[in-house]
Amino acid sequence: MAELNHYQTLQVSPRATQAEIKQSYRRLAKLFHPDSQQETANHEQIVRLNAAYEILSDPQRREFYDRQLRNGSFGAVGNWQQRTKAAQKQYQKQRQTAQDIDRQVQLWLSLVYQPVNRLICRIINPINEQIDELSADPFDDELMESFQDYLKECQELLSQAQHIFTSMPNPSPLAGVAARLYYCLNQVADGISELETFSLNYDDQYLHTGHEMFRIAAQLRREAQAAFKSFV
């Protein structure tokens, strides 16, 4: 079976305008793209379309290609076939890379982001209730002991979250999510330290500072969620 030339591949006339070439390319690319319609998906056809559009969308390269067609140059066909094979290899390599990144993203989200997010919530969500209970009488031993137990649990949860966060490098597409999560964990750690100091010396300044750090951590967690949602 004879190889199709670029115009035949794009289903346009050799006299087609640039707008017509672009329109036909977009239509066919959508039709054969593997992520659009499963029934018409065709990797090889996408490669041929990309190779054809690469030439015909550039006026100078199109003019040179047209001369080769008019002259019946076998070299043109040979060059086109070589370019098609090269384009196919490049396409497959890019697609494999994209698939690898997708897998890394899904793994990081399930093994790092989601469990760390849950642990952070368990630390910062009870803070207002804990402070309200303690405020009844900060010098009451039982209330303070309950508050210290809460801080001890916070420290244990934080250690788990930090361990999980460092267990796997974040994929580059999720750098923004990871950065906000990192700063969130730092705020939580500093907040716990301030609250622990308050539990020892009853200085309200440490209580207020720790509470504010938890508030900042909560904001960073929400920003990480927003960055995650914008990605997906």
Side-chain angles (χ1 to χ4, degrees):
M1 181 177 177
E3 292 284 351
L4 299 178
N5 65 41
H6 290 332
Y7 292 103
Q8 293 168 331
T9 297
L10 291 178
Q11 298 180 12
V12 295
S13 164
R15 294 182 296 277
T17 65
Q18 288 296 318
E20 290 171 335
I21 290 173
K22 183 177 182 179
Q23 182 180 19
S24 183
Y25 169 72
R26 294 180 67 178
R27 176 178 61 82
L28 294 172
K30 182 178 181 180
L31 180 66
F32 294 112
H33 197 282
D35 295 331
S36 60
Q37 301 181 36
Q38 294 294 330
E39 294 181 359
T40 58
N42 189 318
H43 290 186
E44 293 185 1
Q45 187 64 20
I46 283 291
V47 171
R48 287 193 287 269
L49 289 172
N50 289 340
Y53 186 70
E54 181 183 357
I55 297 296
L56 299 188
S57 63
D58 185 312
Q60 292 183 340
R61 298 172 77 176
R62 179 183 180 182
E63 182 181 356
F64 179 72
Y65 178 75
D66 287 346
R67 287 201 302 269
Q68 291 178 314
L69 285 181
R70 287 194 297 270
N71 296 333
S73 170
F74 291 102
V77 176
N79 289 337
W80 171 71
Q81 291 175 336
Q82 291 177 0
R83 291 184 63 84
T84 299
K85 291 180 180 179
Q88 185 174 15
K89 289 182 179 180
Q90 181 66 19
Y91 174 82
Q92 291 173 343
K93 181 178 179 180
Q94 291 174 345
R95 184 163 181 80
Q96 183 62 47
T97 300
Q99 291 173 342
D100 290 343
I101 292 176
D102 286 343
R103 283 193 290 269
Q104 292 172 14
V105 165
Q106 294 305 318
L107 280 175
W108 191 83
L109 289 175
S110 62
L111 299 180
V112 177
Y113 172 75
Q114 292 175 354
V116 168
N117 186 55
R118 287 193 293 267
L119 289 167
I120 291 173
C121 287
R122 291 176 61 186
I123 294 172
I124 63 181
N125 285 352
I127 184 62
N128 290 333
E129 182 180 352
Q130 288 289 333
I131 291 178
D132 287 344
E133 291 179 358
L134 184 63
S135 64
D137 184 0
F139 296 98
D140 181 275
D141 290 340
E142 291 186 5
L143 291 178
M144 180 56 74
E145 183 178 355
S146 176
F147 186 70
Q148 289 174 327
D149 288 342
Y150 160 67
L151 294 179
K152 181 179 179 181
E153 182 182 9
C154 286
Q155 189 61 60
E156 293 172 353
L157 295 172
L158 175 64
S159 296
Q160 294 177 37
Q162 291 172 327
H163 175 72
I164 294 171
F165 184 77
T166 57
S167 65
M168 180 184 300
N170 64 275
S172 56
L174 294 177
V177 178
R180 289 171 176 83
L181 214 57
Y182 171 78
Y183 291 123
C184 176
L185 290 172
N186 285 349
Q187 286 292 322
V188 168
D190 292 341
I192 292 174
S193 178
E194 292 291 315
L195 294 172
E196 286 177 338
T197 301
F198 163 75
S199 71
L200 298 175
N201 63 14
Y202 299 93
D203 187 334
D204 285 346
Q205 183 61 40
Y206 292 101
L207 177 64
H208 296 320
T209 302
H211 195 186
E212 176 63 13
M213 288 180 171
F214 269 36
R215 187 194 67 78
I216 296 173
Q219 177 60 32
L220 288 166
R221 189 190 72 83
R222 288 192 292 270
E223 291 177 5
Q225 281 185 308
F228 161 69
K229 290 179 181 178
S230 66
F231 173 78
V232 298

